[in-house]
Amino acid sequence: TEIYTLPYTTLFRSFAWWQWWPHLFRPFSQGNSGATTATKQTLTLVDQSNKVSGSNARVHRRVSLLFEHPEAEENSESDQRQAVSALRDICATPDVRPETPQLFTKLVYSLRQLGAPALRDLHRKCEAERVCSANHDNAKKALHDAIPMLGTSSSMHLIREFLIDGHIAPATADMWLSSLAFVAKPNEDMLMEIKPVLDLPEYHHKALLSVSALVHAYCRSNDCSDSVEAQDIVRSEERRVGKECRSRW
């Protein structure tokens, strides 16, 4: 590493330097030939200004610098068509291929734009085999795998609804409940939607840790003392867990 000290008053118009990487790549050459990597970097002065501009506008509210993913308030017909198109693309590939992960990612992003009624209608069409002309099981499995990855209040509503109605296979229900622990940025609406699952006798044991992790993720970026839904879940779990953390169900 070379260090250069320049006078404070020195103004350089341009810098250029080469950097050679010492690693030599010798494929099938028995050491007689090969290739090295070199990079050239150039730094050029474009403009100079001593003026600093500012604004004294009033600050109305302060928010985190973390990027937020707002949910769409309305679902257009084009959003639903995109979701159906993504499912049909998956149906068109009967086996796992290199493009399968990309198709599944497309499906997840398209489903995130849908509200609970649109998701329910799409699920109903998949169950009735009205989405694809063939490989209907692929569409059903892809949709079931994608729902818990949406991370929206609409997906939580659908999960709660299906668990309460019992219209889902036990293996799928277990997968959905386990996935709750991996929701990165839950909001209070999600807590409200999933809270009734704790009162289901057939699922409360499996939902306990996952819902707790969901609340923990919410409280890391929000003030839980002001959250009615978070406090209700905590009190509900405290009633069921004794001092020695033994379940009272």
Side-chain angles (χ1 to χ4, degrees), residues 147-189:
I147 286 175
M149 300 183 65
L150 304 185
T152 63
S153 57
S154 298
S155 65
M156 295 294 174
H157 178 90
L158 199 67
I159 290 174
R160 182 204 68 189
E161 185 178 273
F162 285 169
L163 292 179
I164 291 177
D165 294 342
H167 294 163
I168 206 70
T172 302
D174 290 346
M175 183 266 290
W176 283 359
L177 291 174
S178 299
S179 69
L180 298 179
F182 302 101
V183 178
K185 293 194 64 178
N187 55 39
E188 195 165 16
D189 289 339

Side-chain angles (χ1 to χ4, degrees), residues 190-245:
M190 297 182 194
L191 301 184
M192 178 188 67
E193 294 290 355
I194 208 65
K195 181 174 62 176
V197 176
L198 290 172
D199 297 324
L200 300 178
E202 63 272 35
Y203 293 119
H204 51 218
H205 283 91
K206 298 174 183 178
L208 180 60
L209 290 179
S210 296
V211 174
S212 298
L214 193 70
V215 174
H216 176 68
Y218 173 79
C219 293
R220 280 186 302 184
S221 55
N222 298 274
D223 185 4
C224 284
S225 61
D226 295 332
S227 172
V228 176
E229 305 300 335
Q231 293 297 326
D232 285 348
I233 292 176
V234 171
R235 283 192 294 266
S236 175
E237 295 188 355
E238 285 178 345
R239 288 194 299 268
R240 296 180 171 91
V241 179
K243 296 181 179 180
E244 298 179 357
C245 291

Side-chain angles (χ1 to χ4, degrees), residues 23-159:
H23 303 291
L24 181 63
F25 179 56
R26 296 173 173 172
F28 312 111
S29 61
Q30 297 183 2
N32 296 323
S33 63
T36 58
T37 302
T39 60
K40 180 183 179 182
Q41 300 185 20
T42 303
L43 183 64
T44 304
L45 177 64
V46 177
D47 194 9
Q48 184 180 9
S49 174
N50 296 323
K51 183 176 65 174
V52 178
S53 61
S55 174
N56 295 323
R58 182 179 178 182
V59 178
H60 297 282
R61 68 188 185 99
R62 299 181 185 276
V63 297
S64 170
L65 292 177
L66 295 175
F67 185 77
E68 297 180 357
H69 298 271
E71 296 183 34
E73 295 296 332
E74 298 182 359
N75 306 129
S76 64
E77 292 184 1
S78 62
D79 294 332
Q80 298 184 35
R81 286 196 298 267
Q82 288 178 6
V84 172
S85 174
L87 280 173
R88 288 175 176 169
D89 290 340
I90 292 176
C91 292
T93 55
D95 52 1
V96 178
R97 299 180 182 178
E99 63 270 19
T100 301
Q102 183 179 0
L103 294 177
F104 184 75
T105 301
K106 176 185 174 183
L107 174 64
V108 170
Y109 276 94
S110 62
L111 292 177
R112 282 178 178 165
Q113 311 305 317
L114 303 183
L119 282 174
R120 188 187 308 110
D121 182 63
L122 183 60
H123 184 271
R124 188 181 302 113
K125 290 179 179 178
C126 279
E127 291 295 324
E129 300 183 352
R130 292 165 49 196
V131 173
C132 301
S133 58
N135 301 319
H136 304 288
D137 291 339
N138 286 7
K140 296 177 186 178
K141 187 177 186 307
L143 183 59
H144 288 168
D145 290 344
I147 286 175
M149 300 183 65
L150 304 185
T152 63
S153 57
S154 298
S155 65
M156 295 294 174
H157 178 90
L158 199 67
I159 290 174

